[in-house]
């Protein structure tokens, strides 16, 4: 983990960027270091500033809105409109009774980890962010979280398996983080869901692994904590022909290995365009698994629709849906109402990141509301003991499995044609979370006529 140039655990503003490979100009650094703190140079928030004026908190929001991960940001505009309307009407008040207006500064990573670090630096150096929210894959969450950790800025992240976020950033169970917090499911949860889906395959045999050379793929391939031991524990044989680079154009080597091993089950965590390329080539080359459990790439209707008729019954994890029995602490909408509002407002089909993007702001508001002040150290310490309800489910940072992490519920689903040229995601595996209802039963992929 990186070490900050200055420790700022008690300060309201952190202005000097730690050496994480980000080049900031000397002029910017000098200007930043001389910038005023909120509430005065001594860092005291001073209630309402002593003159009745309401102070402003700046929240940074970082996601991939363009590039190959752009599907994760499809709900951003809708959520931002919602929460800005909420803040315009309500502001936010800390536990001492001090009220704040909220400014949200949005940054697009363009699906590039280096740019993710850059925009986090901009939020810290230029925008004076009091808190940063970040979502969607370790390529986004990790570099942003690292910048915040090194510079004493509170960061809340989501939509990345917690192991890839935690261990992928160099933490250990004994040595974690001070300023950065994360809520999402982990490999244990998805392994259980996938095992439930795989159990429907008669004579399962070999599980083909399609794992990229990135933080997600490396976490899933870990020989001790990844999927290999899970597959073997279920009496199946893992087949990992090796990691491939994101953006690979030819998957013939992987497909040949899977076909020769007669791997009836396929699992993987590719980015959306890579799975489209792989699946089309697999069909052309005669690889026909009976079950495909694909994380990341097939979370979105648009990604499945890109497969045409060949998306039927491909399975994926379901971490949020209109069927989830949770409600927003901000709008009081149920998950079903939030999804319906999104579809009516945008004309688009709901997507899973919608619920978690909304939940990020719920956790932010809950943190500020429970904190004795908006001082950075107070916000950090409040997060460490925070337990709150969101439209994505309970978020409880006191529950583990490691410090600064809260695990959220997970079920499994399959994409099925809706008869209108599109697909619906149907929950079919909920053994771990029966309160999230199923909409159908597990089915194998039917290759007849293809």
């Amino acid at each position: 983990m990186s070490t900050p140039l200055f420790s700022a655990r008690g300060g309201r503003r952190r202005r000097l960027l730690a050496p994480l490979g980000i080049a900031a100009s000397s002029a910017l650094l000098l200007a930043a270091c001389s910038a005023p703190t909120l509430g005065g140079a001594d860092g005291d928030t001073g209630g309402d500033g002593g003159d009745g004026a309401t102070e402003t908190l700046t929240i940074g929001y970082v996601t991939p809105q363009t590039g190959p991960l752009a599907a994760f940001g499809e709900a951003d505009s809708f959520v931002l409109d919602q929460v800005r309307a909420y803040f315009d009407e309500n502001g936010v008040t800390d536990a001492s009774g001090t009220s704040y207006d909220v400014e949200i500064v949005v940054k697009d990573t363009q699906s590039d980890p280096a740019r993710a670090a850059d925009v986090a630096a901009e939020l810290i150096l230029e925008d004076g962010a009091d808190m940063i929210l970040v979502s969607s894959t370790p390529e986004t969450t990790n570099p942003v979280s690292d910048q915040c950790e090194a510079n004493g800025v509170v960061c809340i992240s989501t939509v990345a398996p917690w192991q890839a976020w935690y261990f992928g950033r160099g933490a250990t169970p004994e040595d974690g983080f001070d300023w950065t917090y994360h809520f999402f499911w982990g490999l244990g949860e998805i392994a259980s869901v996938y095992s439930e889906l795989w159990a429907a395959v008669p004579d399962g045999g070999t599980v083909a692994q399609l794992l990229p050379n990135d933080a997600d793929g490396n976490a899933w391939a870990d020989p001790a904590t990844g999927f290999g031991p899970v597959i073997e524990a279920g009496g199946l044989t893992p087949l990992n022909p090796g990691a491939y680079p994101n953006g690979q154009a030819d998957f013939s080597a992987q497909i040949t290995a899977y076909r020769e091993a007669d791997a009836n089950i396929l699992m993987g965590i590719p980015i959306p365009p890579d799975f489209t390329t792989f699946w089309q080539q697999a069909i052309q080359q005669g690889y026909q698994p009976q079950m495909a459990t694909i994380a990341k790439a097939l979370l979105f209707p648009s990604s499945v629709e890109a497969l045409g008729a060949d998306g039927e019954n491909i399975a994926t994890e379901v971490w949020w849906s209109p069927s989830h029995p949770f409600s927003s602490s901000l709008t009081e909408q149920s998950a079903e109402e939030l999804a319906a509002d999104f579809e009516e407002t945008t004309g688009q089909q709901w997507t899973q990141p919608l619920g978690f993007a909304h939940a990020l702001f719920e956790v932010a508001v809950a943190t500020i509301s429970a904190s004795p002040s908006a001082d950075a150290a107070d916000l950090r310490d409040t997060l460490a003991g925070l337990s709150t309800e969101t439209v994505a489910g309970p978020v409880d940072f006191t529950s583990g499995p490691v410090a600064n992490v809260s695990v959220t519920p997970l079920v499994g689903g399959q994409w099925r044609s809706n008869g209108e040229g599109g697909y619906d995601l149907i929950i079919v595996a909920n053994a771990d979370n029966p309160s999230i209802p199923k909409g159908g039963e597990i089915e194998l992929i039917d290759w007849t006529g293809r």
Side-chain angles (χ1 to χ4, degrees):
M1 291 179 287
S2 302
T3 302
L5 294 177
F6 292 108
S7 174
R9 292 177 182 271
R12 285 279 304 140
R13 299 291 197 192
R14 285 73 34 189
R15 287 291 192 255
L16 190 57
L17 185 67
L20 289 174
I22 307 301
S25 69
S26 297
L28 176 58
L29 286 170
L30 289 172
C33 288
S34 63
T37 60
L38 189 154
D42 62 359
D44 183 6
T45 59
D48 288 329
D51 58 4
T54 301
E55 299 180 21
T56 298
L57 289 177
T58 299
I59 297 178
Y61 181 66
V62 184
T63 60
Q65 295 154 33
T66 57
L69 299 175
F72 283 92
E74 287 178 350
D76 282 355
S77 294
F78 171 83
V79 171
L80 288 165
D81 285 346
Q82 269 200 327
V83 296
R84 282 178 170 138
Y86 172 86
F87 287 130
D88 286 346
E89 181 175 352
N90 301 282
V92 65
T93 302
D94 67 26
S96 74
T98 303
S99 297
Y100 306 89
D101 290 331
V102 177
E103 178 187 12
I104 303 171
V105 181
V106 181
K107 300 289 185 179
D108 174 18
T109 70
Q110 300 175 3
S111 301
D112 182 348
R115 177 169 168 80
D118 286 344
V119 298
E122 291 173 7
L123 286 166
I124 296 167
L125 286 168
E126 300 178 37
D127 300 302
D130 298 286
M131 175 185 292
I132 293 179
L133 311 180
V134 57
S135 178
S136 303
T137 78
E139 288 71 35
T140 310
T141 60
N142 291 15
V144 173
S145 297
D146 282 344
Q147 287 284 21
C148 293
E149 185 70 23
N151 290 279
V153 178
V154 170
C155 179
I156 307 168
S157 63
T158 191
V159 186
W162 73 260
Q163 289 95 336
W165 176 86
Y166 189 83
F167 298 118
R169 296 172 54 216
T172 67
E174 297 77 26
D175 185 14
F177 304 110
D178 290 326
W179 297 93
T180 51
Y181 291 77
H182 188 79
F183 64 97
F184 205 54
W185 48 263
L187 298 188
E189 288 70 37
I190 198 169
S192 181
V193 168
Y194 278 12
S195 294
E196 185 178 352
L197 290 161
W198 297 343
V201 180
D203 303 321
T206 299
V207 178
Q209 297 178 275
L210 182 66
L211 304 178
N213 184 20
D214 60 18
D216 270 332
N218 294 336
W220 288 40
D222 188 283
T225 61
F227 259 90
V230 173
I231 293 169
E232 292 172 343
L236 304 172
T237 302
L239 172 61
N240 182 4
Y244 64 89
N246 285 323
Q248 180 165 301
D250 185 358
F251 288 90
S252 296
Q254 287 87 354
I255 293 167
T256 297
Y258 302 158
R259 192 178 60 239
E260 290 178 350
D262 194 22
N264 286 328
I265 300 168
L266 170 71
M267 61 151 290
I269 189 164
I271 60 176
D274 284 0
F275 184 74
T276 299
T277 300
F278 167 84
W279 198 238
Q280 290 171 344
Q281 293 177 3
I283 292 171
Q284 292 168 358
Q285 297 176 35
Y287 175 53
Q288 300 180 338
Q290 294 178 288
M291 175 65 66
T293 49
I294 304 299
K296 187 186 292 187
L298 294 186
L299 298 171
F300 316 103
S302 58
S303 300
V304 187
E305 289 164 4
L307 304 177
D310 295 319
E312 188 75 13
N313 278 336
I314 296 180
T316 192
E317 73 276 15
V318 183
W319 22 280
W320 188 82
S321 78
S323 299
H324 279 55
F326 311 120
S327 297
S328 166
S329 59
L330 302 182
T331 66
E332 299 184 351
Q333 291 173 301
S334 66
E336 182 178 13
E337 290 168 337
L338 179 63
D341 189 5
F342 174 80
E343 292 186 338
E344 182 178 356
T345 301
T346 67
Q348 299 174 332
Q349 195 170 351
W350 66 270
T351 66
Q352 295 196 54
L354 166 63
F356 275 77
H358 188 97
L360 270 174
F361 287 95
E362 292 185 79
V363 175
V365 170
T367 302
I368 298 166
S369 299
S371 178
S373 78
D375 179 87
D378 281 342
L379 292 173
R380 175 202 61 198
D381 294 345
T382 299
L383 261 173
L386 185 71
S387 178
T388 190
E389 298 292 327
T390 77
V391 77
V395 174
D396 181 1
F397 290 114
T398 70
S399 64
V402 292
N404 299 39
V405 168
S406 175
V407 174
T408 54
L410 190 68
V411 293
Q414 288 183 293
W415 289 100
R416 295 191 179 147
S417 173
N418 59 19
E420 300 175 357
Y423 284 91
D424 291 328
L425 183 56
I426 308 300
I427 295 173
V428 297
N430 69 345
D432 291 342
N433 293 283
S435 65
I436 302 172
K438 292 198 295 183
E441 300 301 323
I442 301 171
E443 297 181 9
L444 303 181
I445 298 174
D446 183 2
W447 292 98
T448 304
R450 299 195 200 181

